[in-house]
């Protein structure tokens, strides 16, 4: 299975990556669903929605501070490094990610499309134009307030019920419709419209290489090679095989 995937990756002319929370699991970030998923303990409606931010800003910012602290100082695992190597070698490897932890960029990858935004910056909830980088130290008093107009700040992630950044999601679908291979890594493929990206690749006749220890919503057909394993182990092995074939 993995050698077949390495061969297809080697022959691929315009591969694309599509990643989810599982891509960062071995760097210490928790996933949202599954056994130890965050949504088993916390309510997405309360913590990841505009209404939740407006009604309970302090609780929501406690949550983001906890996630920023987790995300602060974590390092991209070997799977990230393998993707960075592959991107440099191939010269093109757009990375579409649902993750807001910034680890693809932190591992030196370029052409990263963060379709759910990033938790590493915040802006004014009343859109007065204020914008700032975020780190745990900057979150002493919660909720953080806009220094220009006094409104609450919001993390620059897409909250449930909000539209995805138009340019980013339309380019993601365009890449899916034009690629010949998509690596779908660490996602349960459940949250639309992002989840539609791998399906758009399949519809265009691309091959999908799925890297995930568990089964997902992706159809198991001849165009899908599902490698049941962890991103931090499979990606280095795959890229190593692609390199030395
Ligand atoms: N390597 C690869 N995949 C893994 C690993 C690992 N080490 N550990 C877990 N996984 C897989 C799980 O089997 C699961 O299929 O990662 C997937 C994580 O799924 P979710 O927690 O649903 O995360 P994701 O698909 O990214 O969720 C999409 O939902 O809550 C929203 O905005 C949030 O961007 C997120 C979106
Ligand atoms: Zn403001």
């Amino acid at each position: 299975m993995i050698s077949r995937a390495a061969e297809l990756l080697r022959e691929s002319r315009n591969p694309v990556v599509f990643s989810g929370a599982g891509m960062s699991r071995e760097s210490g970030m928790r996933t949202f669903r599954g056994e130890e998923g965050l949504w088993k303990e916390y309510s997405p409606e309360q913590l990841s929605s505009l209404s939740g931010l407006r009604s309970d800003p302090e609780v929501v910012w406690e949550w983001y501070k906890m996630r920023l602290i987790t995300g602060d100082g974590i390092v991209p695992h070997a799977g990230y490094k393998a993707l960075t190597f592959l991107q440099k070698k191939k010269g093109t490897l757009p990375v579409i990610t649902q993750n807001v932890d910034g680890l693809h960029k932190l591992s030196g990858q370029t052409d990263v499309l963060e379709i759910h935004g990033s938790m590493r910056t915040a802006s004014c909830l009343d859109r007065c134009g204020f914008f700032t980088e975020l780190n745990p130290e900057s979150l002493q008093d919660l909720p953080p307030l806009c220094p220009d107009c006094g409104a609450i700040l919001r993390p620059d992630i897409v909250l449930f019920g909000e539209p995805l950044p138009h340019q980013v999601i339309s380019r993601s679908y365009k890449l899916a419709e034009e690629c010949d291979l998509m690596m779908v890594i660490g996602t349960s493929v459940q949250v639309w419209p992002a989840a539609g990206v791998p399906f758009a690749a399949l519809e265009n006749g691309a091959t999908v290489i799925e890297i995930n220890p568990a089964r997902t919503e992706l159809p198991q057909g001849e165009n899908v090679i599902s490698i049941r394993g962890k991103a931090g182990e499979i990606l280095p092995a795959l890229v190593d095989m692609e390199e030395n074939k």
Side-chain angles (χ1 to χ4, degrees), residues 85-224:
F85 172 82
L86 189 65
Q87 188 179 60
K88 286 193 175 78
K89 182 177 171 248
K90 283 234 174 246
T92 167
L93 186 67
V95 177
I96 305 165
T97 186
Q98 302 171 91
N99 299 341
V100 296
D101 57 27
L103 286 182
H104 282 293
K105 287 181 178 171
L106 213 59
S107 51
Q109 289 155 33
T110 55
D111 201 10
V112 177
L113 294 91
E114 293 176 322
I115 48 175
H116 287 163
S118 167
M119 70 177 184
R120 296 191 185 265
T121 61
S123 44
C124 175
L125 189 57
D126 286 1
R127 302 170 187 256
C128 77
F130 179 75
F131 168 86
T132 180
E133 299 282 323
L134 267 189
N135 54 53
E137 295 67 47
S138 62
L139 292 175
Q140 296 304 327
D141 304 322
L142 298 181
L145 300 178
C146 174
D148 295 349
C149 76
I152 295 168
L153 292 187
R154 56 149 309 149
D156 286 334
I157 68 157
V158 178
L159 296 169
F160 279 109
E162 287 191 304
L164 271 59
H166 178 68
Q167 264 161 357
V168 177
I169 192 70
S170 34
R171 179 162 179 249
S172 300
Y173 269 89
K174 194 160 175 340
L175 285 167
E177 286 150 15
E178 292 168 359
C179 72
D180 58 5
L181 184 140
M182 180 174 281
M183 301 168 83
V184 178
I185 310 165
T187 175
S188 61
V189 202
Q190 286 186 33
V191 176
W192 292 72
V197 170
F199 289 93
L202 284 173
E203 263 156 52
N204 111 46
T207 299
V208 163
I209 297 173
E210 179 182 40
I211 297 172
N212 192 323
R215 271 215 57 171
T216 66
E217 307 280 319
L218 275 185
Q220 302 303 304
E222 70 280 6
N223 268 15
V224 179

